[in-house]
Amino acid sequence: MRPRIPLPRPLKSTAFQVQSGSARGLGEKRMRGHDLQRPFHGVRAAESPESLSDRCAALSKTLQPHHVFSHRTAAEIWRMPLPADDDHEDDDDDVLHVMALGKRGRIRRPGVVGWERTENDLVTYFVGSIHVCAPADVWCQLSTLISREWLVAVGDFLISGERDDDGRRPALCTMEQLTEAIARHGRRRGVAALQWALGMVRSPVDSPRESLLRLALVAGGLPEPEVQLAVRTTKGIRHGDLGYRDARLIIEYQGDEHRTSRRRWLQDLTRVQLLEDAGYRVILVGSDDLEDGAAALIARIRRILASAG
């Protein structure tokens, strides 16, 4: 059944507050129309917002200038890598995290995790219409939600820049900005993990699993490998994910993208061959190799390093 009163054109493509609809002549009955979605209290939309950015934009209609998206929500807006559902402590991915800056009190409404910070000292940005905490401050906020190993992986991503088929995007922040963010974080919960993680952050790193692999090797007593080890080959410089130059050993992490992308698979085959032709031994590592602390992998690498020493 078609609604009797069509939506004004400006309201068809975006979520809007009930007050905005009223100002455009829509009555209370029309606001309860079967064709309108209610993503949040006081908000209506012609279509239910599905993506994170659309949900944040819908909620933003009800927020005040001192409200800013934070924690896991902000991390996803910045495209930070995050652990899978079974790896992180935040057990509800559908909620949105919003922080109130200054002595305003945290937001309380269904579907929202409210946070508050009495100081108004955080760096914030607008990503489109979405008010969000700066990447370095978000990294600090994640210290209460993810492991310290994953903090390193996120930190690696932040100072390295996201890698895609067209190259590497600009880094979201610097080591100096991470350090300054920890200073702003002060003595809040998670500071010990942040300080440990800061000392382990490296660049450039292409994936979080490379970060976790590096940390597993170090935790197993091996020397820290070099990231993106540069090797001169017959086709120019090629890089290994992790490597020990003196032992002429490279460790390559093979994620799902190596299996699902034929282009990536062929590129990696060529790169491995070039690295081996340049005199390097290449070990290919998958997710199974990281189970149980990567004990078998660590023992294998230890033998290779010993024989090369």
Side-chain angles (χ1 to χ4, degrees):
M1 177 175 166
R2 177 178 295 181
R4 296 180 179 179
I5 304 176
L7 289 178
R9 185 179 299 274
L11 303 184
K12 290 182 178 181
S13 59
T14 184
F16 59 93
Q17 278 188 289
V18 169
Q19 295 93 318
S20 298
S22 298
R24 292 182 175 274
L26 301 180
E28 181 178 346
K29 184 177 180 179
R30 181 64 184 91
M31 293 294 185
R32 298 197 301 266
H34 61 84
D35 62 319
L36 292 181
Q37 305 298 315
R38 303 180 186 187
F40 298 99
H41 179 72
V43 178
R44 300 291 185 270
E47 297 183 1
S48 179
E50 299 294 339
S51 69
L52 176 69
S53 59
D54 286 344
R55 290 167 55 222
C56 289
L59 181 61
S60 293
K61 302 296 182 179
T62 70
L63 301 181
Q64 301 299 316
H66 62 274
H67 289 137
V68 57
F69 288 99
S70 66
H71 293 78
R72 191 174 181 87
T73 300
E76 293 186 33
I77 292 172
W78 288 118
R79 297 170 57 88
M80 297 180 194
L82 294 172
D85 292 350
D86 57 353
D87 290 335
H88 64 77
E89 298 176 13
D90 179 14
D91 59 0
D92 192 343
D93 290 341
D94 292 331
V95 300
L96 298 179
H97 294 256
V98 178
M99 177 172 284
L101 300 178
K103 298 179 180 180
R104 311 291 185 92
R106 69 183 64 192
I107 185 173
R108 301 181 187 277
R109 63 164 55 226
V112 177
V113 174
W115 302 83
E116 60 183 340
R117 187 181 179 96
T118 55
E119 305 91 346
N120 192 359
D121 59 347
L122 297 188
V123 180
T124 64
Y125 293 94
F126 277 94
V127 178
S129 63
I130 301 172
H131 195 197
V132 60
C133 290
D137 289 311
V138 175
W139 181 69
C140 290
Q141 294 162 4
L142 291 176
S143 64
T144 63
L145 302 178
I146 61 178
S147 70
R148 66 179 193 170
E149 288 78 15
W150 266 98
L151 279 178
V152 175
V154 175
D156 287 352
F157 167 84
L158 291 175
I159 69 168
S160 297
E162 184 176 7
R163 186 67 178 266
D164 56 27
D165 290 340
D166 297 322
R168 193 181 298 279
R169 299 184 182 184
L172 289 176
C173 64
T174 64
M175 284 292 290
E176 290 75 16
Q177 289 171 322
L178 293 182
T179 302
E180 292 167 358
I182 292 178
R184 287 193 295 273
H185 191 76
R187 296 179 177 274
R188 292 176 175 84
R189 180 185 168 205
V191 64
L194 288 169
Q195 291 170 340
W196 179 88
L198 184 68
M200 299 301 296
V201 168
R202 301 290 183 266
S203 173
V205 177
D206 284 348
S207 77
R209 292 297 171 181
E210 291 175 28
S211 302
L212 298 178
L213 172 58
R214 184 180 82 246
L215 294 175
L217 299 183
V218 173
L222 295 177
E224 182 177 345
E226 183 178 339
V227 300
Q228 292 299 305
L229 188 148
V231 176
R232 188 176 299 279
T233 75
T234 57
K235 297 295 184 180
I237 299 296
R238 296 294 185 270
H239 295 85
D241 292 341
L242 300 169
Y244 297 95
R245 187 176 300 277
D246 291 343
R248 301 186 75 79
L249 173 65
I250 285 175
I251 303 105
E252 289 280 296
Y253 185 83
Q254 303 289 293
D256 280 346
E257 70 276 8
H258 301 264
R259 174 180 58 82
T260 58
S261 170
R262 177 176 174 80
R263 175 184 175 187
R264 180 69 179 270
W265 177 64
L266 292 174
Q267 287 177 339
D268 283 346
L269 283 178
T270 300
R271 183 164 59 93
V272 169
Q273 182 175 335
L274 289 171
L275 293 171
E276 291 178 335
D277 289 346
Y280 279 77
R281 181 173 182 173
V282 180
I283 297 178
L284 301 181
V285 177
S287 59
D288 289 347
D289 294 298
L290 295 182
E291 295 181 358
D292 301 321
L297 174 64
I298 290 169
R300 181 184 180 192
I301 294 174
R302 182 175 286 113
R303 290 193 296 270
I304 296 172
L305 295 181
S307 64

